[in-house]
Amino acid sequence: MNQDLIYKKSIKRNIIEFLLNTIAITFTFIVVLPLVLVLFYVLIKGGEQLNFALFTQLPEPPGDDLLSAGGIGNAILGTIIVTTIASIIAIPIGVGGGIYLAEYAKGGSFSKFIRFGTNILSGIPSIIAGVFIYGTIVSTKIIFGSSFSSLAGGMALSILMLPTIIKTTDEGLKLVSDNLRKGALCVGASKFTTITSITLPTAFRPIVTGILLAVARAAGETAPLIFTALFSFYWPQGSESFLEPIASLSVLIYNFALEPYKAQNELAWAASFILIILLLFLNLLARYLNKLTIQNK
Amino acid sequence: MNTSAPIENLISKEKIAIAFENVSISYGGNEAIKNLYLNFPKGKVTALIGPSGCGKSTVLRAINRMNDLIPDCKIKGRIFYEGSDLYDPNIDPVEVRRRIGMVFQQPNPFPKSIYENIAFGARINGYSGNMDKLVEKSLKKAAVWDECKDKLNKSGCSLSGGQQQRLCIARTIAIRPDIILMDEPCSALDPISTLKIEETIHELKNNYTIIIVTHNMQQAYRISDYTAFFNAENVDDGEGGKVGYLAEFNETETIFGSPKQKITKDYISGKFG
């Protein structure tokens, strides 16, 4: 065997390569560590508290009962209600805006301004969205004289959802081949028909993926809700509940984690567990849909 | 009526499907085709041939207003279809495209079922008859029925390239246009699929006016009744730009047998292009 061809550990090139590889692997490990730790810590701490009553009972005000803090039923329901309100506001506006950018805007200064604005909006700290709705909706009592309400909470979250939805709709539509649009036009479809029957259905999955990611982000937000939806120890009552403060998982965690009572702290862990599972599920669903899209290409 | 165009006499007036009258088309500042006079005969197959950049696809797209989609594409002159100037401000391009269908270079079936690919156009055009029959008839006319009759619910994209292209032709037939435009419909296909498309065109020419752009001169010779040869000439803009013009238009036999212009003969015999 030719001795020159044999791998030599001790030469400079191979030593440096080994060192750099080791450093890269170590840092990768350090990066992943907090992620895994947070996830497992919450899952274990929260998982311990899991029982059926959690879903059916109301939380008890701190200090009333030192042994139990009740459940988080109204907070789970509240998170779902507020996120739904936010989706109802943000999805039509966001998808509509995305359609405008991708299909109607001709790359002029107006569309550039909107794209730029969307990017800025996606970087806005969520607390700003909360303060904005607090200043315009809550403190002015502009909606039927109600101040803190699930409606205001939904509005604050919708501000955070908008940029993601606009961007994914815009980009999803841009991925649709121009040949399809031309094909539709050449069988006599108007632009509107082309968009509703051909381009939108073709871009359906990337758009839904974007919406799911936006919903997942909104569902986990705390800051905008503290200023707008506040919190409640009761079940939402009928249609009036839209105009009244409402509980949510994230605000419940914020409130109860800082309490000096062990029972409340444990409830906060349980709420964290449920919230993480919810977000994980939404993200996995989005990933799954995205994968389907790529395979179809 | 401009009588200076030499081709005016070739086709009698009532047999004209589309008439170009002194049409110039430009993209931005660059002219793609200038001063075009050309009458496309009704119920015949007309082939547009010529080297790259001579503006033949531009001419084709001008007929059903597909150039509208290209920003800063400007058109001067007039194009007549059944007595109306297609570029009159009162003309609705959607209505134009319902009468003048188009088949593209790349097969572009909709990502829907084969059945829906056909039914979509018919439905939006207000067709209210028996849809199953229309689908069958259109696929038969496009000579692709045998290959898809058992999988009408499968996606149009699951077909082979040649079948997709014939599906696109069927889709165009289903809206019952007067004129079918084809922009190099076989350039993305293998020889066997090409042959089938050509057979389809033969079938179709009894009922439709067909205008086809092709790079394949044998194909032009095989399928067309008339041939328009476009050429490109340099313009003195200092940038080496080229502008297309119509060099010769005549019956295909004449163009390929005894062309009047030397340039046509050179192109057809493969001396350039």
Side-chain angles (χ1 to χ4, degrees):
Chain A
M1 206 195 292
N2 187 341
Q3 288 300 311
D4 291 346
L5 291 178
I6 291 175
Y7 179 81
K8 294 175 203 67
K9 262 187 183 172
S10 51
I11 62 172
K12 197 176 157 201
R13 182 185 67 223
N14 287 338
I15 292 174
I16 291 176
E17 182 172 311
F18 176 76
L19 276 179
L20 290 179
N21 270 343
T22 317
I23 292 171
I25 290 168
T26 316
F27 282 152
T28 311
F29 186 69
I30 295 173
V31 166
V32 178
L33 198 63
L35 187 83
V36 176
L37 281 183
V38 168
L39 210 61
F40 274 90
Y41 195 63
V42 172
L43 289 186
I44 290 166
K45 275 286 237 184
E48 283 174 359
Q49 318 296 331
L50 220 53
N51 57 56
F52 185 67
L54 214 56
F55 298 94
T56 55
Q57 290 181 356
L58 292 171
E60 292 170 15
D64 272 17
D65 180 353
L66 291 181
L67 293 174
S68 159
I72 52 170
N74 66 337
I76 296 175
L77 190 62
T79 291
I80 293 172
I81 289 175
V82 176
T83 315
T84 308
I85 293 173
S87 307
I88 289 171
I89 301 171
I91 292 174
I93 300 179
V95 172
I99 291 175
Y100 172 79
L101 285 181
E103 302 281 343
Y104 287 96
K106 298 215 164 70
S109 52
F110 182 63
S111 64
K112 273 188 196 138
F113 170 74
I114 296 181
R115 284 208 177 94
F116 180 69
T118 309
N119 281 336
I120 299 283
L121 196 63
S122 67
I124 270 188
S126 58
I127 197 163
I128 306 282
V131 172
F132 170 70
I133 293 296
Y134 178 80
T136 53
I137 307 280
V138 177
S139 66
T140 57
K141 300 194 175 183
I142 203 164
I143 307 174
F144 303 116
S146 79
S147 55
F148 294 101
S149 66
S150 51
L151 217 52
M155 287 178 185
L157 293 186
S158 71
I159 295 177
L160 300 173
M161 291 172 70
L162 263 182
T164 319
I165 299 181
I166 293 178
K167 225 189 273 181
T168 46
T169 306
D170 183 14
E171 270 150 30
L173 287 175
K174 272 197 237 151
L175 283 181
V176 176
S177 159
D178 250 353
N179 281 335
L180 275 186
R181 289 190 187 90
K182 287 185 197 162
L185 289 176
C186 280
V187 293
S190 63
K191 188 154 190 174
F192 180 76
T193 318
T194 305
I195 292 169
T196 51
S197 315
I198 303 292
T199 34
L200 263 189
T202 310
F204 181 72
R205 287 213 187 95
I207 293 172
V208 171
T209 305
I211 290 174
L212 281 177
L213 289 176
V215 170
R217 185 191 168 187
E221 282 292 347
T222 318
L225 293 178
I226 298 174
F227 292 93
T228 53
L230 213 63
F231 191 69
S232 157
F233 284 95
Y234 311 103
W235 291 103
Q237 299 287 331
S239 59
E240 279 173 29
S241 62
F242 293 113
L243 303 174
E244 283 167 1
I246 196 167
S248 58
L249 285 169
S250 49
V251 176
L252 183 138
I253 296 168
Y254 171 75
N255 286 343
F256 283 13
L258 303 177
E259 290 293 335
Y261 304 100
K262 192 164 176 275
Q264 263 73 25
N265 295 164
E266 281 170 352
L267 200 65
W269 280 116
S272 311
F273 177 85
I274 304 286
L275 190 58
I276 282 200
I277 294 294
L278 194 74
L279 300 190
L280 214 60
F281 170 73
L282 282 173
N283 275 291
L284 286 178
L285 194 64
R287 277 188 69 104
Y288 172 70
L289 281 174
N290 206 19
K291 214 166 128 193
L292 283 183
T293 316
I294 292 162
Q295 280 167 353
N296 274 13
K297 279 278 140 63
Chain B
M1 217 53 199
N2 191 312
T3 47
S4 66
I7 50 171
E8 197 68 35
N9 308 327
L10 204 61
I11 305 150
S12 69
K13 219 183 153 200
E14 57 277 10
K15 288 191 182 148
I16 295 172
I18 293 280
F20 278 65
E21 277 192 12
N22 199 10
V23 174
S24 300
I25 305 170
S26 58
Y27 299 111
N30 306 319
E31 267 200 326
I33 187 101
K34 68 170 186 185
N35 304 349
L36 175 65
Y37 290 88
L38 180 55
N39 294 336
F40 291 97
K42 216 177 248 180
K44 303 280 181 194
V45 179
T46 306
L48 310 183
I49 60 170
S52 309
C54 66
K56 50 194 190 309
S57 291
T58 302
V59 168
L60 196 74
R61 284 198 301 266
I63 298 174
N64 72 341
R65 304 258 321 234
M66 285 306 277
N67 279 334
D68 292 14
L69 306 187
I70 301 170
D72 54 65
C73 172
K74 284 214 174 59
I75 179 156
K76 279 188 291 187
R78 300 198 287 178
I79 302 174
F80 285 100
Y81 165 70
E82 291 189 343
S84 337
D85 179 1
L86 289 177
Y87 285 82
D88 188 282
N90 295 321
I91 296 282
D92 179 1
V94 174
E95 290 297 332
V96 172
R97 293 182 199 124
R98 288 181 177 188
R99 290 163 179 79
I100 308 177
M102 190 167 192
V103 176
F104 296 84
Q105 191 170 357
Q106 289 291 334
N108 56 352
F110 304 131
K112 299 169 180 276
S113 69
I114 293 171
Y115 186 95
E116 269 304 307
N117 259 282
I118 310 284
F120 172 71
R123 205 178 293 129
I124 60 173
N125 279 283
Y127 178 78
S128 54
N130 185 332
M131 192 61 86
D132 292 355
K133 268 198 185 138
L134 179 76
V135 170
E136 182 177 340
K137 220 171 83 188
S138 307
L139 288 170
K140 273 183 177 160
K141 270 194 196 161
V144 70
W145 170 250
D146 289 334
E147 287 139 290
C148 17
K149 65 180 174 205
D150 298 325
K151 44 180 179 178
L152 290 176
N153 290 321
K154 287 244 176 79
S155 165
C157 304
S158 66
L159 297 170
S160 75
Q163 291 168 341
Q164 285 187 11
Q165 193 63 300
R166 277 176 283 149
L167 176 64
C168 291
I169 294 175
R171 172 178 88 184
T172 308
I173 297 169
I175 64 169
R176 302 197 229 182
D178 288 342
I179 302 173
I180 300 177
L181 310 175
M182 298 186 175
D183 190 359
E184 296 184 46
C186 303
S187 69
L189 305 179
D190 63 277
I192 294 169
S193 304
T194 302
L195 204 68
K196 290 204 164 164
I197 302 270
E198 287 182 13
E199 280 167 15
T200 307
I201 293 172
H202 264 295
E203 293 290 314
L204 293 177
K205 76 175 181 185
N206 301 319
N207 301 311
Y208 302 93
T209 302
I210 296 175
I211 303 171
I212 179 170
V213 165
T214 177
H215 264 125
N216 181 335
M217 273 172 288
Q218 282 75 34
Q219 182 175 60
Y221 184 68
R222 283 194 298 264
I223 60 176
S224 70
D225 303 306
Y226 288 84
T227 298
F229 169 60
F230 287 83
N231 194 16
E233 63 188 7
N234 294 321
V235 269
D236 304 322
D237 61 351
E239 293 167 22
K242 282 186 169 184
V243 58
Y245 67 99
L246 177 65
E248 193 168 351
F249 175 69
N250 215 324
E251 287 175 11
T252 299
E253 290 289 336
T254 316
I255 291 277
F256 281 87
S258 51
K260 294 196 175 63
Q261 310 240 4
K262 189 175 171 294
I263 189 101
T264 313
K265 197 177 173 190
D266 286 353
Y267 183 75
I268 282 161
S269 56
K271 281 195 181 146
F272 80 101

